[in-house]
C-alpha cells in the first residue's frame, strides 16, 4: 500500500506543524521509521481507509487523518478558514493531505500535544513544533544523529547482513518530505 502524510499549516505566519520522532517504539528496542528526525505525521494507507470503493485520493485522505490522530491525538473537524487538499506524488506511490488552519488553531495543536492534553494512540513523536515554511527544506535535509544501533535496526528490518554507512544514512532519508514542502511553497505561498 502507498504511504500518506499530513502537512498542517497556517497561511498567516507561514508556519507548518512538524513532529520530532522518538527513536524507539514504546518500551522496545524497535526503531521507528525516521527515528529521531523531524517529519510530518503519516504512514501506510490501510484497507480500512478505502471508504469509497477504490478511490485512492479518498483513501489517502482518510488514512492521513487517521494517522494524524493515531500519532498526535489531533482530530480534524472542518471549520471556517480551513482548506483540505490531498495530492498524489510519484504517480501515487505516496500522498500528502495539505490542511490549512488558522494560526491560533495550529498553535493550540502544538501546545496541547506538548503539554500532554492530546493522548495519541501511538507514542511516535517526542514533540510537535511550528516551523517557518521556508525553513522546512533545511529541517528535512539536516540529519539528526541517532544511535547506530537504532539505524542498524531500521536497515535490518529490510535486509539481512551487515550494513554500510550509506545504508544507515538512507534509513533516515526524507526526500518525499522535501517534495511535499516544494509543493506547499509553490501552491500556497507564491
Amino acid at each position: 500500500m502507498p504511504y500518506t502524510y499530513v502537512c498542517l499549516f497556517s497561511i498567516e505566519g507561514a508556519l507548518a506543524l512538524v513532529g520530532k520522532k522518538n527513536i524507539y517504539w514504546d518500551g522496545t528496542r524497535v526503531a521507528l521509521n525516521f527515528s529521531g528526525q523531524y517529519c510530518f505525521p503519516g504512514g501506510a494507507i490501510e484497507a480500512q481507509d478505502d471508504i469509497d470503493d477504490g478511490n485512492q485520493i479518498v483513501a489517502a485522505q482518510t488514512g492521513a487523518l487517521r494517522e494524524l490522530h493515531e500519532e498526535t491525538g489531533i482530530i480534524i473537524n472542518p471549520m471556517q478558514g480551513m482548506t483540505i487538499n490531498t495530492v498524489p506524488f510519484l504517480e501515487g506511490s505516496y500522498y500528502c493531505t495539505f490542511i490549512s488552519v488558522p494560526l491560533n488553531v495550529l498553535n493550540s495543536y502544538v501546545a496541547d500535544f506538548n503539554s500532554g492534553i492530546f493522548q495519541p494512540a501511538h507514542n511516535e513523536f517526542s514533540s510537535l513544533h511550528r516551523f517557518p515554511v521556508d525553513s522546512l527544506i533545511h529541517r528535512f535535509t539536516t540529519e539528526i544523529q541517532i544511535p547506530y544501533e537504532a539505524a542498524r535496526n531500521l536497515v535490518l528490518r529490510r535486509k539481512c547482513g551487515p550494513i554500510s554507512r550509506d545504508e544507515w544514512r538512507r534509513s533516515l532519508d526524507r526526500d518525499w518530505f522535501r517534495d511535499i514542502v516544494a509543493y506547499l511553497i509553490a501552491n500556497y505561498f507564491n
Side-chain angles (χ1 to χ4, degrees):
M1 285 297 245
Y3 288 89
T4 187
Y5 298 96
V6 175
C7 179
L8 255 171
F9 66 97
S10 176
I11 297 290
E12 56 181 308
L15 298 170
L17 181 139
V18 175
K20 185 168 186 201
K21 281 278 193 154
N22 287 318
I23 295 176
Y24 298 106
W25 282 102
D26 277 342
T28 72
R29 299 301 284 171
V30 176
L32 289 164
N33 289 332
F34 314 119
S35 290
Q37 309 303 305
Y38 289 112
C39 62
F40 294 122
I45 298 172
E46 298 177 358
Q48 69 194 28
D49 300 324
D50 187 6
I51 60 172
D52 192 20
D53 200 25
N55 183 326
Q56 275 300 109
I57 295 293
V58 172
Q61 183 171 317
T62 303
L65 297 175
R66 176 188 47 75
E67 288 283 346
L68 178 67
H69 181 251
E70 288 176 358
E71 294 179 1
T72 68
I74 295 172
I75 297 173
I76 297 296
N77 294 312
M79 66 182 86
Q80 187 174 0
M82 174 186 282
T83 61
I84 298 177
N85 182 31
T86 301
V87 176
F89 288 85
L90 291 178
E91 298 176 8
S93 55
Y94 70 98
Y95 295 80
C96 184
T97 296
F98 294 90
I99 305 172
S100 172
V101 297
L103 182 58
N104 64 319
V105 172
L106 187 70
N107 289 340
S108 70
Y109 289 156
V110 171
D112 290 350
F113 179 88
N114 291 336
S115 68
I117 292 172
F118 287 152
Q119 297 294 310
H122 304 297
N123 190 19
E124 292 192 34
F125 288 103
S126 59
S127 57
L128 294 182
H129 304 270
R130 298 168 312 254
F131 288 132
V133 168
D134 61 3
S135 77
L136 291 178
I137 295 290
H138 173 73
R139 300 273 178 201
F140 295 142
T141 55
T142 302
E143 179 184 305
I144 298 170
Q145 291 298 315
I146 65 169
Y148 179 78
E149 172 193 339
R152 183 175 183 280
N153 180 315
L154 281 172
V155 174
L156 289 179
R157 285 183 5 204
R158 296 183 186 100
K159 72 170 240 175
C160 296
I163 68 166
S164 69
R165 181 66 75 181
D166 284 343
E167 287 171 315
W168 175 35
R169 291 186 114 72
R170 279 197 306 275
S171 75
L172 303 176
D173 185 57
R174 295 154 297 168
D175 278 348
W176 41 86
F177 295 139
R178 293 188 289 272
D179 294 343
I180 289 168
V181 171
Y183 182 93
L184 175 70
I185 291 169
N187 290 276
Y188 294 96
F189 292 97
N190 276 339

